Amino acid sequence: MNLNIKRRSTKSLTTGSLIETYPHDLQLYKIPPIDNISLQEFESLALERLNLLRCLATATTLKNLRPYSNEWREYIITELRNKGLKYYAKLCDKSACGNTEMDLQARRKDHIAHFILRLAYCRTEELRRWFIARELELFRMRFMTMNTESVDTFFKLNNLCYLNIPDEEKNNIIHYLRESTAYQNVDNMKFYKVKFYEVLDLVKLRKVYLHGGYAYIPHKDFVSVLSAQFRVHLKQSLAVACHHLGEIEQDERLVSLLKSLHQTYTGNDYTNTKAIIPIESLDSLSVKSFPLCMRQLHEQLRMAHHLKHLGRLQYGLFLKGIGVTLEDSLRFWREEFTKIMELDKFEKQYAYNIRYNYGKEGNKKNYSPYSCLKIINSPVGAQDCSGCPYRHCDVSNLKNKLQGYGFDPQTVHDIVDITKKGHFQVACSKYFDAVHNIDLGLGINHPNQYFEESQKYLKGEIKIEPKKENNSIPKESITDIHEMDLDEIVEG
Amino acid sequence: MVKQQYDANLLPDMLPIYYTRHFPQKIFCRWLAYGCSPQPLSNREMSFTLADDVYLRYLSISNQKELQELLQKKCPYKLDIGAVYNTKPSVGRHNAVVLARELVFDIDLTDYDEIRTCCQEAKVCEKCWLFMVIACEIIDKTLREDFGFQCILWVFSGRRGIHCWVSDYEARILDSPGRGAIASYLCLIAGGENQSKKVHLGNENLHTSIRRSLNIIDNYFEQLLQEQDFFATSEGLNAFLKLIPDETLRSQVAKKLEKLPQSSLERWTSFVSTYEAYCRENGNAMRKLKYLTEEIKIQYCYPRLDVNVTTGFNHLLKSPFSIHPKTGKVSIVFKSSNVKNFKLDEVPTINTLLDDMSTDSSVHQNNMKEAVKTFQEVVFLCEKTEAMRKRNNANTSIEF
Ligand code: SF4
Ligand SMILES: [Zn+2]
């Protein structure tokens, strides 16, 4: 990859050469871009594609939509439009070979952004796996929505030539093709012969006729062949990219951007909140409106009167995000910490950090509360209570904890089960449902979002039929802060 | 003459002689080398299990002489074969990269415990061996017809199962997802202990390979019903009834079968006619229960694979002609076309091979010879296809 990053963007390529470079909406990304782009464009392209890929992930894991189904696609396209990513929405909606300036620019962005993300996601096996899975989904989705004409052009442009089997051969095996192919009107389709290992996904599901080591596939199933090749190609390229990272990363700013990209949170950042939450309500809020990660930090603080650095950061910023004022926050931490230390020590060692979180010390940056992604990906020490409990707790501990909170065995089992499969945020959403005794299936991606959704629900802004089963949460813990007497507390 | 009982305590005395006189060392080495492609014989991992369960991994040999020396020195109770690495396994150890490995299948009768009625766990008899016959025929056909493999070696595991080694080049270099895909293609029975009905065929066309498997099953189904008598006990009958998802049909069948004599064959026939009548009257049920009889047949007969063995790229598997330390039986190679005639008590054991005076000796000696011959044939075929592949490769690369 040969991207020159300039402070300001130099002239972009002329439309004429863009047509040659980008004749088709769908690309195999074989050749890296050689554009000059500004650091700013670099960053925004990266974030936009990140948004796109996350959108795919959300559709599958959080929204529980079947990949490649119509609902799945519609959700993604609407989501992209809502996020202002019109060009991706268009590329995903119907890949074709138009050549308006808009088409060409969209393809150029698609091309460059794909390669930027390769750099950001080649670092670890886990990142690579995530990236490959998403890019493959994207590729498949786009291939599947193409019309026959665009498919033909795509094959021609990419020099993919396969010969369909002669009619005579087809007639001899037509009976088997009808039996073993997953489509209705097999008789009218042209069939192609590829080695069985080129369409493993079809073999696995027994959706293709196999004979003598060959798979007989109709045109439609070529997406399997292509995505298999795409996967192999991408896997190798990522391995190569990882090897050459050192050469690319001479620019400090690039390094930090690329390194932290996968942890970048792309939604609301909850830096500025308007609500004011009195600290006296935290005990009850922690039970009914905190996600488990924050509830556990709160309980730890109350119990041990202390939290380690990361825990203080994670919890402190969260509190800021829900609307605890700086003054309240200082008072809150002070009350706890001074149970085990001298006031003097607290003021010297800890108060600074709290003011720092609120942007009152150091570089005066107004820090944002951590997103799930950041919390889930952050390292957690053996004794720490920070992190995401679904990610960082032993399954048995998690189970005990949930049982201790009084959830019924089925709920505990469900949450633990999802956790085991690695869907931490889905588990979190299940926990939300259990606490509120509803069946909402929210997509959780930020602890503060969790909190807001919970408050919305408790204030009746979301109307949902409560689940009919028995209440598993102790009644007394459900009190709304709006029923409390706030007079004496608000002045801090 | 008295039939000599096998005694594991004598193994240390018998094994060195067995390895020297009976173990087909030469052909064994040729098999594992495949004309040195993709790597020499010395990059192939072998492992030994010694008398006191000491387990030696990452062994390797470069030729027959080294094999003989190693066998004599360590006198392994059991021999396992692993993958071909990019370097000598003893050198590379954990860092070595697997380059090739036969595609293997492991079928064990213990996985049939929930259906077989004659034996449980380690026990086997001629009756339950029929499950292995069906498994072998189905898997062999699928590998040959669907996947086009030719170099297929079938081996008796020494006690209660069979192994299959596919040595075609494409199979040997297939990666883990590829192996997984083939395993899933072959697997029709899914679900754990808490699931009664483990086969679901949907209601669309039956895949060609499933039809073929059902044809094979049909050749043995009646015999199996009679010998295993699956539905004779009330327990067995209940398990069977649980496989009928439609409640109305289930109670109809239950009522009918209770009145019948206990023979499973009769009960089955009666079930089939009740089912057919029910479907004729009830179009909706017809759609939902389209393949009910097929599903049940598959659940009672179809091969139950250990998928992990197949999917893993570097799983160790017991070598052909290794001795089973518990039974003394030789892991002989057999022809899939002849699996019907496989007799468990005619499998050579180490003591009959070494003792010319024992009653079974001549039969066993003979069967050992047959097994070695079959092994030889497969190895020759492997070498031939490998040579052809190389020639083809050379030809195509000249074109460029
Ligand atoms: S998923 Fe997010 S909100 Fe939920 S516990 Fe984990 S980090 Fe907290
Ligand atoms: Zn038996």
Side-chain angles (χ1 to χ4, degrees):
Chain A
M1 166 140 176
N2 186 10
L3 274 177
N4 284 317
I5 316 294
K6 292 277 164 65
R7 286 250 142 197
R8 230 175 302 125
S9 151
T10 41
K11 53 142 184 48
S12 70
L13 296 173
T14 58
T15 312
S17 64
L18 276 180
I19 290 182
E20 275 167 35
T21 327
Y22 303 117
H24 200 290
D25 274 350
L26 188 61
Q27 317 183 28
L28 285 171
Y29 312 105
K30 293 247 156 112
I31 305 164
I34 38 166
D35 263 11
N36 285 333
I37 66 169
S38 67
L39 185 61
Q40 204 187 1
E41 188 180 14
F42 186 93
E43 185 165 3
S44 62
L45 284 180
L47 285 177
E48 284 165 10
R49 193 170 194 88
L50 189 59
N51 247 318
L52 163 69
L53 299 186
R54 284 195 184 149
C55 203
L56 297 174
T58 313
T60 320
T61 50
L62 292 178
K63 295 285 157 197
N64 244 328
L65 300 171
R66 195 164 45 82
Y68 315 113
S69 63
N70 283 338
E71 305 80 58
W72 186 80
R73 244 188 45 238
E74 269 156 30
Y75 169 81
I76 290 168
I77 290 169
T78 324
E79 221 20 38
L80 289 174
R81 290 220 175 86
N82 290 343
K83 288 185 174 167
L85 298 172
K86 292 231 171 53
Y87 67 101
Y88 276 135
K90 193 181 159 293
L91 285 177
C92 292
D93 199 8
K94 211 154 235 132
S95 288
C97 9
N99 52 15
T100 65
E101 179 66 22
M102 229 175 62
D103 287 329
L104 297 174
Q105 286 304 336
R107 289 172 205 159
R108 174 180 163 271
K109 287 185 186 170
D110 173 33
H111 183 214
I112 298 176
H114 168 86
F115 275 89
I116 297 177
L117 255 64
R118 277 195 193 178
L119 294 180
Y121 276 82
C122 66
R123 279 149 217 280
T124 68
E125 182 53 36
E126 205 178 336
L127 290 179
R128 285 196 288 265
R129 212 176 312 129
W130 186 87
F131 179 65
I132 292 176
R134 297 293 87 72
E135 284 283 343
L136 260 174
E137 280 169 8
L138 180 63
F139 180 82
R140 271 191 103 110
M141 164 172 78
R142 291 169 65 181
F143 188 92
M144 284 161 70
T145 50
M146 273 197 283
N147 60 24
T148 335
E149 209 179 310
S150 312
V151 173
D152 284 342
T153 329
F154 179 78
F155 275 89
K156 253 181 234 136
L157 288 168
N158 288 289
N159 285 326
L160 299 164
C161 39
Y162 289 91
L163 282 183
N164 54 306
I165 58 171
D167 283 347
E168 202 196 322
E169 188 178 349
K170 186 184 160 191
N171 289 335
N172 285 337
I173 54 169
I174 186 73
H175 174 67
Y176 303 120
L177 293 178
R178 278 188 212 130
E179 247 173 23
S180 306
T181 314
Y183 299 106
Q184 292 302 323
N185 47 349
V186 165
D187 293 54
N188 304 324
M189 291 177 178
K190 283 202 173 97
F191 272 82
Y192 300 78
K193 216 166 132 174
V194 298
K195 289 300 291 189
F196 77 86
Y197 46 76
E198 293 190 77
V199 286
L200 288 177
D201 52 342
L202 297 178
V203 172
K204 194 166 153 187
L205 298 171
R206 231 179 282 108
K207 284 202 163 148
V208 60
Y209 173 59
L210 291 182
H211 186 73
Y214 287 95
Y216 290 76
I217 57 167
H219 209 279
K220 280 188 185 169
D221 279 341
F222 257 105
V223 65
S224 295
V225 180
L226 283 178
S227 30
Q229 289 178 2
F230 185 62
R231 164 189 281 278
V232 172
H233 170 69
L234 200 53
K235 218 168 149 185
Q236 286 165 352
S237 312
L238 288 177
V240 173
C242 186
H243 243 88
H244 295 287
L245 266 186
E247 301 156 28
I248 299 157
E249 293 185 334
Q250 280 150 4
D251 190 321
E252 273 294 318
R253 296 158 306 166
L254 263 190
V255 179
S256 67
L257 174 68
L258 289 174
K259 274 201 180 133
S260 59
L261 191 62
H262 68 277
Q263 295 186 351
T264 315
Y265 170 69
T266 41
N268 184 348
D269 70 0
Y270 300 96
T271 314
N272 303 304
T273 343
K274 278 166 226 98
I276 292 180
I277 298 284
I279 53 172
E280 283 68 16
S281 63
L282 289 182
D283 283 337
S284 85
L285 281 175
S286 76
V287 175
K288 64 196 172 82
S289 283
F290 282 17
L292 195 51
C293 54
M294 300 305 168
R295 180 172 181 179
Q296 123 183 330
L297 283 168
H298 183 80
E299 284 166 0
Q300 175 70 13
L301 178 64
R302 286 284 195 232
M303 210 173 70
H305 316 298
H306 190 268
L307 282 180
K308 292 211 172 168
H309 179 65
L310 277 176
R312 290 199 305 273
L313 262 179
Q314 183 179 328
Y315 190 40
L317 288 170
F318 169 78
L319 289 180
K320 180 178 89 167
I322 65 172
V324 175
T325 62
L326 171 61
E327 291 68 29
D328 268 4
S329 201
L330 278 169
R331 190 155 59 87
F332 173 65
W333 293 100
R334 189 188 303 125
E335 274 167 13
E336 282 303 331
F337 275 56
T338 49
K339 286 181 184 156
I340 55 163
M341 64 179 69
E342 293 302 315
L343 181 63
D344 193 41
K345 187 176 176 196
F346 173 81
E347 292 296 344
K348 275 200 191 120
Q349 288 184 13
Y350 298 100
Y352 175 89
N353 277 333
I354 294 159
R355 285 196 293 272
Y356 182 92
N357 281 350
Y358 282 75
K360 302 289 182 226
E361 297 282 0
N363 60 12
K364 306 261 166 88
K365 212 175 140 199
N366 196 1
Y367 290 95
S368 319
Y370 292 171
S371 67
C372 292
L373 208 61
K374 175 143 186 169
I375 295 174
I376 288 173
N377 283 319
S378 62
V380 167
Q383 311 285 320
D384 293 2
C385 282
S386 58
C388 169
Y390 308 107
R391 166 69 212 267
H392 298 111
C393 275
D394 275 353
V395 171
S396 57
N397 283 346
L398 179 65
K399 209 168 172 177
N400 286 340
K401 185 164 287 175
L402 293 171
Q403 275 162 356
Y405 289 157
F407 294 110
D408 63 276
Q410 186 58 41
T411 310
V412 175
H413 175 266
D414 286 352
I415 296 177
V416 168
D417 209 44
I418 297 169
T419 309
K420 279 196 207 142
K421 290 188 190 135
H423 302 315
F424 314 123
Q425 286 154 284
V426 183
C428 186
S429 163
K430 273 259 157 6
Y431 172 85
F432 184 102
D433 286 354
V435 169
H436 299 84
N437 204 29
I438 44 168
D439 202 354
L440 210 52
L442 281 174
I444 304 292
N445 46 37
H446 201 299
N448 290 83
Q449 170 222 359
Y450 181 111
F451 178 81
E452 283 189 0
E453 296 285 356
S454 166
Q455 287 293 303
K456 257 196 251 165
Y457 172 71
L458 293 175
K459 286 180 209 155
E461 284 171 30
I462 309 175
K463 279 266 177 307
I464 299 277
E465 291 287 298
K467 274 201 283 189
K468 42 242 156 279
E469 297 124 66
N470 56 322
N471 258 358
S472 49
I473 309 299
K475 255 282 183 280
E476 64 272 27
S477 67
I478 305 189
T479 44
D480 195 291
I481 47 167
H482 289 262
E483 294 161 7
M484 293 173 51
D485 187 5
L486 301 180
D487 289 349
E488 9 130 30
I489 345 174
V490 175
E491 257 86 86
Chain B
M1 269 178 289
V2 213
K3 189 161 173 172
Q4 280 238 312
Q5 275 296 307
Y6 164 71
D7 179 358
N9 291 323
L10 297 176
L11 274 180
D13 299 327
M14 296 193 286
L15 280 170
I17 311 175
Y18 170 76
Y19 285 133
T20 313
R21 280 208 230 137
H22 300 275
F23 189 88
Q25 290 185 13
K26 197 164 154 204
I27 200 78
F28 176 82
C29 289
R30 276 173 69 172
W31 175 52
L32 291 184
Y34 296 115
C36 289
S37 185
Q39 289 290 317
L41 176 57
S42 56
N43 287 10
R44 162 82 72 166
E45 179 184 355
M46 290 187 8
S47 82
F48 288 179
T49 310
L50 306 186
D52 32 16
D53 271 340
V54 173
Y55 190 44
L56 305 178
R57 275 200 71 173
Y58 307 110
L59 302 171
S60 75
I61 48 157
S62 340
N63 51 43
Q64 190 199 335
K65 193 166 151 268
E66 283 183 27
L67 174 66
Q68 164 71 355
E69 279 167 14
L70 201 61
L71 288 173
Q72 296 304 324
K73 198 163 102 202
K74 304 280 186 202
C75 186
Y77 272 39
K78 185 165 161 263
L79 236 69
D80 287 288
I81 296 175
V84 179
Y85 291 86
N86 58 342
T87 148
K88 239 176 122 119
S90 53
V91 180
R93 295 256 159 163
H94 314 285
N95 298 326
V97 181
V98 179
L99 294 183
R101 165 69 168 139
E102 289 82 1
L103 172 67
V104 291
F105 298 91
D106 178 6
I107 308 119
D108 194 301
L109 270 169
T110 42
D111 290 323
Y112 289 72
D113 279 357
E114 66 166 14
I115 45 172
R116 59 177 176 154
T117 56
C118 51
C119 312
Q120 288 287 292
E121 293 174 20
K123 282 232 195 80
V124 266
C125 69
E126 295 297 335
K127 283 186 194 166
C128 43
W129 187 254
L130 195 55
F131 288 115
M132 292 297 104
V133 174
I134 299 173
C136 172
E137 288 192 7
I138 288 180
I139 294 173
D140 195 74
K141 266 247 160 59
T142 309
L143 292 173
R144 286 178 206 275
E145 294 192 359
D146 297 358
F147 292 95
F149 295 135
Q150 300 171 27
C151 307
I152 301 174
L153 187 72
W154 283 97
V155 185
F156 171 55
S157 76
R159 179 144 70 168
R160 50 175 189 218
I162 50 179
H163 297 159
C164 170
W165 301 69
V166 186
S167 299
D168 295 75
Y169 185 74
E170 274 170 10
R172 275 187 284 133
I173 59 161
L174 199 64
D175 60 2
S176 235
R179 284 159 205 257
I182 296 185
S184 323
Y185 183 84
L186 270 163
C187 270
L188 292 177
I189 303 177
E193 282 187 17
N194 299 319
Q195 224 168 321
S196 325
K197 191 157 191 276
K198 297 191 164 111
V199 183
H200 300 273
L201 300 178
N203 57 11
E204 314 217 322
N205 285 334
L206 277 190
H207 192 275
T208 313
S209 69
I210 299 181
R211 281 199 189 283
R212 187 186 48 223
S213 301
L214 281 163
N215 286 339
I216 296 175
I217 288 176
D218 280 340
N219 295 337
Y220 298 101
F221 191 60
E222 278 194 11
Q223 187 190 347
L224 205 59
L225 271 182
Q226 279 165 339
E227 290 180 356
Q228 292 291 333
D229 225 354
F230 297 121
F231 321 132
T233 62
S234 61
E235 237 185 346
L237 186 61
N238 275 337
F240 167 71
L241 289 172
K242 279 199 192 133
L243 304 184
I244 305 173
D246 185 303
E247 268 177 51
T248 330
L249 176 62
R250 194 189 318 135
S251 56
Q252 277 184 20
V253 173
K255 250 184 244 141
K256 278 239 172 91
L257 296 198
E258 269 164 23
K259 288 186 212 119
L260 281 179
Q262 287 177 349
S263 132
S264 291
L265 189 55
E266 272 174 70
R267 288 187 161 180
W268 173 257
T269 332
S270 151
F271 156 71
V272 174
S273 58
T274 319
Y275 160 75
E276 280 168 356
Y278 185 74
C279 284
R280 269 196 302 277
E281 285 160 23
N282 196 327
N284 203 17
M286 170 67 198
R287 230 168 300 122
K288 276 207 209 112
L289 306 171
K290 188 160 176 199
Y291 296 118
L292 186 58
T293 52
E294 287 85 353
E295 286 167 340
I296 296 175
K297 280 182 187 171
I298 288 174
Q299 180 144 350
Y300 281 100
C301 307
Y302 193 83
R304 297 173 172 231
L305 292 177
D306 185 338
V307 179
N308 294 325
V309 174
T310 303
T311 313
F313 204 21
N314 51 359
H315 221 281
L316 290 152
L317 194 64
K318 190 161 179 259
S319 161
F321 299 103
S322 179
I323 299 291
H324 195 293
K326 294 261 160 53
T327 61
K329 286 186 177 164
V330 182
S331 290
I332 51 167
V333 170
F334 61 88
K335 280 197 175 94
S336 56
S337 56
N338 207 20
V339 59
K340 276 199 286 272
N341 307 318
F342 192 101
K343 294 266 174 322
L344 281 167
D345 51 13
E346 289 177 6
V347 174
T349 61
I350 187 165
N351 44 327
T352 49
L353 286 180
L354 299 194
D355 176 10
D356 295 341
M357 307 308 283
S358 99
T359 32
D360 298 322
S361 185
S362 70
V363 179
H364 283 197
Q365 299 276 8
N366 214 16
N367 282 343
M368 182 71 180
K369 247 184 242 145
E370 271 303 307
V372 173
K373 205 171 125 226
T374 308
F375 186 39
Q376 232 162 23
E377 282 166 15
V378 176
V379 174
F380 290 166
L381 183 64
C382 289
E383 288 178 348
K384 202 172 113 204
T385 30
E386 184 61 24
M388 265 163 55
R389 183 186 68 81
K390 280 188 181 156
R391 209 177 44 228
N392 284 343
N393 264 358
N395 284 347
T396 44
S397 54
I398 284 166
E399 279 169 31
F400 286 100

